[in-house]
Amino acid sequence: MFYFFSLQCQIFFKRRKTLSIIRQNIIESATRHFSENGFAATSIQEIADDCGIAKGSLYKFFQSKEDLYIAFHDSQQMAMYTKIENIRADATLNSREVFILETECHFEFFLNNKFIMHDIKKMNTSKGHFAPYFLRLRANHLKYSKESLTRFLGEIVHPNIWDLVVMYNGIAREFIFLVLYENKPLNSRNIAVYIADRIEELAECIVQKKTKPILQNSLMDNYMKYEIAEKSIPVEEYRTSLLGNLLSTVKELPITNFRKVELSDAIALLQEELKKEAPKSILIHALLDFIGKEHELNNIVSQLKRYV
């Protein structure tokens, strides 16, 4: 009886290993085809033929070309993040050296996978099958950037961390585009060191001036929670978060107490009106315009206007 059970286990694990090898072969073939021809010009039949299997057999592993592309993309991302985790685990490196190597690692990833950037640029990633995937991908990238910047700059930048994340990624993205789309002969290491210097200077200036953050932690943490879970933020919850940001920002504005009371009352009226089954659009926009006259609140008000 034990021998029979042991034999069954051997057959099961051997079959599982075989399936794993076939799946890996499919992903490797997809990588070659996607890199040479792009997503649109690559067919499932070509990949199946390359792997020496029937098209129907390929669909047992991946239900569609989109699913295969996502699996391939995930494998590339996983390789990059594994490399980043190894950099972070190296005890011989200081926080600055780790940050530079991480930034360089991101650059090398995009330079070695140019076709991914070209495909993403052509795809309408805000709709259809790819939408939730690319939202999750963006959220994960922002999460890694936040961790990198916190390690590098320290907890002192926590109130402004999301502003720094956006600036860091914006600078990096422009350099990547210059290399990929305009063929500028730029060195990844030099760019990584340069970005580290500029981000450090920006952080010092923000901390010294006690700059109020544009992106509140509560707002971005909420966004990250939903995007990583591949869910959409409910409109009501998003509005509540923005209104909370308005109130907390008003309390810290360098204005008279009378003006603070005016703005707080306007926000309270706005909250009440938005809770009604049939809110009055004219009143809502009048209140938003009144609140938005305060320059420091204009950014949050602009976001709110999209959700009322």
Side-chain angles (χ1 to χ4, degrees):
M1 183 70 178
F2 174 77
Y3 171 77
F4 178 71
F5 176 73
S6 177
L7 187 62
Q8 281 186 315
C9 286
Q10 289 177 35
I11 293 170
F12 171 77
F13 285 114
K14 186 176 181 180
R15 182 173 181 273
R16 187 174 179 180
K17 185 178 179 181
T18 302
L19 291 175
S20 179
I21 292 170
I22 294 172
R23 188 181 190 279
Q24 187 57 39
N25 287 341
I26 292 170
I27 291 178
E28 288 175 4
S29 176
T31 302
R32 288 195 301 274
H33 281 82
F34 288 140
S35 62
E36 291 171 10
N37 308 315
F39 174 78
T42 298
S43 72
I44 286 290
Q45 187 64 63
E46 288 174 321
I47 295 171
D49 291 343
D50 188 38
C51 294
I53 60 175
K55 187 176 178 180
S57 297
L58 190 149
Y59 282 123
K60 292 178 182 177
F61 295 90
F62 304 98
Q63 294 182 355
S64 65
K65 187 169 74 167
E66 288 80 5
D67 286 333
L68 176 54
Y69 188 84
I70 287 172
F72 137 73
H73 202 286
D74 273 340
S75 69
Q76 302 295 100
Q77 291 283 324
M78 186 59 67
M80 178 183 69
Y81 287 133
T82 298
K83 189 174 180 180
I84 288 174
E85 291 300 334
N86 289 336
I87 292 170
R88 291 179 177 181
D90 189 341
T92 65
L93 301 172
N94 61 39
S95 60
R96 177 182 170 79
E97 290 168 334
V98 168
F99 182 76
I100 290 170
L101 286 171
E102 285 185 40
T103 302
E104 190 177 8
C105 185
H106 276 108
F107 264 88
E108 292 301 326
F109 170 80
F110 288 114
L111 294 181
N112 294 332
N113 297 279
K114 294 180 182 180
F115 62 96
I116 291 177
M117 292 295 290
H118 288 298
D119 276 342
I120 291 174
K121 197 174 181 183
K122 290 177 183 176
M123 294 174 186
N124 187 353
T125 56
S126 64
K127 296 180 180 179
H129 193 88
F130 286 117
Y133 174 71
F134 280 107
L135 286 173
R136 176 166 57 86
L137 204 65
R138 172 172 165 73
N140 278 322
H141 180 65
L142 291 175
K143 173 176 167 285
Y144 263 86
S145 297
K146 182 187 177 187
E147 291 171 356
S148 298
L149 287 164
T150 302
R151 285 167 179 265
F152 175 39
L153 302 169
E155 289 296 331
I156 195 169
V157 300
H158 180 70
N160 302 86
I161 189 63
W162 286 113
D163 292 343
L164 288 165
V165 167
V166 168
M167 288 187 279
Y168 167 60
N169 280 292
I171 295 169
R173 183 172 59 249
E174 288 305 316
F175 276 114
I176 289 170
F177 277 25
L178 282 170
V179 175
L180 287 183
Y181 299 115
E182 298 181 24
N183 299 312
K184 303 296 182 186
L186 301 174
N187 179 275
S188 298
R189 178 70 177 187
N190 292 341
I191 294 171
V193 172
Y194 181 83
I195 290 176
D197 289 341
R198 301 294 77 76
I199 289 295
E200 196 168 24
E201 290 166 359
L202 278 168
E204 286 175 3
C205 181
I206 286 171
V207 171
Q208 185 179 359
K209 291 187 174 183
K210 297 180 180 179
T211 306
K212 292 186 184 299
I214 295 293
L215 297 173
Q216 300 285 340
N217 279 302
S218 58
L219 177 65
M220 290 304 292
D221 288 342
N222 196 32
Y223 166 81
M224 294 293 290
K225 178 180 69 176
Y226 280 97
E227 295 306 350
I228 290 176
E230 299 184 45
K231 297 175 182 177
S232 297
I233 303 176
V235 172
E236 294 79 9
E237 190 168 335
Y238 196 74
R239 281 198 309 232
T240 300
S241 176
L242 289 171
L243 289 165
N245 287 338
L246 273 179
L247 282 170
S248 60
T249 305
V250 165
K251 292 175 182 177
E252 298 177 10
L253 288 178
I255 55 178
T256 64
N257 288 331
F258 178 78
R259 180 62 177 156
K260 286 184 180 181
V261 171
E262 273 190 332
L263 290 168
S264 297
D265 287 346
I267 295 168
L269 286 171
L270 185 60
Q271 287 176 315
E272 288 176 19
E273 194 62 29
L274 287 170
K275 288 177 182 178
K276 294 178 181 178
E277 290 186 15
K280 295 176 181 177
S281 178
I282 294 175
L283 177 57
I284 288 171
H285 284 280
L287 288 167
L288 285 171
D289 288 341
F290 175 78
I291 298 165
K293 287 179 181 178
E294 207 65 49
H295 176 71
E296 291 87 347
L297 304 177
N298 203 20
N299 182 267
I300 305 173
V301 168
S302 296
Q303 294 178 61
L304 260 170
K305 284 182 176 180
R306 300 190 202 119
Y307 294 92
V308 295

